[in-house]
Amino acid sequence: MSASRQFAIVTGASSGIGRELAKVCAREGFDLLIAADEPEIESAANEIRALGATVETVKADLATTEGVDQLIDAAKRIGRPVDALLANAGHGLGHGFLDQDFAEARHVIDTNVTGTLYLIHRIGNDMRRRNAGRIMIVGSIAGFMPGSFQAVYNGSKAFLDSFSFALREELRDTEITVTCLMPGATDTKFFERAGMLDTSVGTGAKEDPADVARTGFDAMMRGDGDIVSGFKNKVSSAAANVIPAGVLAKQHRKQAEPGSAKS
Ligand SMILES: NC(=O)c1ccc[n+]([C@@H]2O[C@H](COP(=O)([O-])OP(=O)(O)OC[C@H]3O[C@@H](n4cnc5c(N)ncnc54)[C@H](OP(=O)(O)O)[C@@H]3O)[C@@H](O)[C@H]2O)c1
């Protein structure tokens, strides 16, 4: 690996926003350790190597302690300080809560919340010892609204949005920055994986993941606390601060209820 380049970890880099985040990092001078749960992480690595970065991969379920430990062990083997941690891995789950398989609902929490926090705890402590580093947490504007028919996911993102602001404040006297990237609906595998292709949000207009990644990366490099990507999402998230939660839950039903897709 080139000594002049910085080093970043990007989770969930096999597709969507994470893959684009890893590509922006590579173009902007970072070597990478990237992780995801499926073998597709290797094709992402090849694409990113072609941009001039050294890329190592870990294939692990980041919902588990063992999976996160595999990633930490790989970072230790590489032996470079982590200049940036982009905690992006996450997934959704559509349908009514009581109709969901509880193991799948739990996997959303274990991935989005528990695995993400464990990784940040481990890498964040290394950063604090060095008094240097950037942390990006991929939250969502979904965290601003009760997510009827995606209740567990929105709750997990509300957790991350809140956690990110709190961690940033705790670290305010250090050289470590914490940035929460909050995208709106983005054109990735997310809705297919969440079983939401028959919903209004699943079939509606979406942002380009490359644009979301660039917006988030720039905010992280500036050391901003939070960034909502896209003008329409900025308006919705601002409105969510003043609209009663019950009304937001009703609005979310129109977007996420199975069969809500406009024909
Ligand atoms: N798309 C949207 O509308 C939207 C909006 C706001 C926020 N977000 C957030 O953006 C992040 C990226 O999602 P995306 O839209 O880019 O979806 P995506 O295309 O499905 O990508 C998700 C990535 O996370 C990885 N991942 C998921 N669960 C994992 C686990 N347990 N262990 C390891 N890797 C895991 C996936 O890898 P595998 O395929 O190998 O599991 C994949 O690389 C998520 O945190 C999501 O909540 C998305």
Side-chain angles (χ1 to χ4, degrees), residues 12-18 36-38 60-63 88-91 107 111 138-140 153 157 183-186 188-191 193:
S14 62
S15 67
I17 296 168
D37 197 20
E38 301 289 336
D61 183 357
L62 299 175
N88 160 81
H91 66 95
H107 197 265
T111 302
V138 179
S140 174
Y153 173 75
K157 291 294 169 174
T186 305
T188 68
K189 293 181 180 168
F190 178 91
F191 294 99
R193 292 183 57 159

Side-chain angles (χ1 to χ4, degrees), residues 174-189:
T174 73
E175 296 300 317
I176 301 161
T177 61
V178 183
T179 302
C180 190
L181 169 60
M182 293 181 275
T186 305
D187 192 8
T188 68
K189 293 181 180 168

Side-chain angles (χ1 to χ4, degrees), residues 1-250:
M1 292 186 185
S2 155
S4 61
R5 292 175 70 88
Q6 292 196 295
F7 178 54
I9 296 176
V10 182
T11 66
S14 62
S15 67
I17 296 168
R19 189 162 176 148
E20 296 300 329
L21 282 169
K23 283 160 65 180
V24 182
C25 286
R27 287 191 195 101
E28 298 293 337
F30 285 84
D31 289 327
L32 288 150
L33 173 61
I34 59 175
D37 197 20
E38 301 289 336
E40 202 180 335
I41 194 67
E42 296 303 336
S43 79
N46 286 335
E47 187 185 6
I48 299 160
R49 284 183 192 115
L51 300 171
T54 301
V55 184
E56 307 262 342
T57 61
V58 169
K59 193 183 96 50
D61 183 357
L62 299 175
T64 65
T65 303
E66 300 73 34
V68 176
D69 282 340
Q70 279 182 50
L71 180 55
I72 307 267
D73 288 348
K76 280 194 186 138
R77 274 197 302 278
I78 291 167
R80 294 173 63 175
V82 179
D83 299 295
L85 169 64
L86 293 84
N88 160 81
H91 66 95
L93 186 64
H95 293 88
F97 174 63
L98 297 182
D99 297 321
Q100 292 173 344
D101 176 326
F102 187 70
E104 286 185 36
R106 186 178 183 143
H107 197 265
V108 172
I109 299 168
D110 290 345
T111 302
N112 299 6
V113 178
T114 313
T116 300
L117 263 58
Y118 177 44
L119 179 63
I120 292 171
H121 195 267
R122 295 288 304 271
I123 302 288
N125 267 298
D126 286 342
M127 287 180 173
R128 189 166 60 174
R129 276 188 281 279
R130 292 185 289 112
N131 193 25
R134 303 174 191 281
I135 298 172
M136 176 197 287
I137 297 173
V138 179
S140 174
I141 66 164
F144 292 121
M145 42 201 111
S148 322
F149 299 95
Q150 200 171 202
V152 173
Y153 173 75
N154 282 40
S156 76
K157 291 294 169 174
F159 185 115
L160 286 185
D161 293 352
S162 164
F163 172 80
S164 186
F165 281 102
L167 181 63
R168 179 181 173 82
E169 176 59 24
E170 289 177 12
L171 295 174
R172 74 172 186 197
D173 296 327
T174 73
E175 296 300 317
I176 301 161
T177 61
V178 183
T179 302
C180 190
L181 169 60
M182 293 181 275
T186 305
D187 192 8
T188 68
K189 293 181 180 168
F190 178 91
F191 294 99
E192 183 187 346
R193 292 183 57 159
M196 295 179 70
L197 289 182
D198 62 343
T199 65
S200 175
V201 63
T203 51
K206 296 186 185 60
E207 284 190 276
D208 181 337
D211 293 343
V212 172
R214 170 48 77 178
T215 302
F217 178 87
D218 289 347
M220 179 185 78
M221 295 310 285
R222 286 194 303 269
D224 292 354
D226 60 300
I227 182 80
V228 174
S229 54
F231 177 73
K232 195 168 149 267
N233 297 324
K234 284 187 171 61
V235 173
S236 330
S237 59
N241 283 322
V242 291
I243 297 173
V247 175
L248 292 171
K250 278 196 174 65

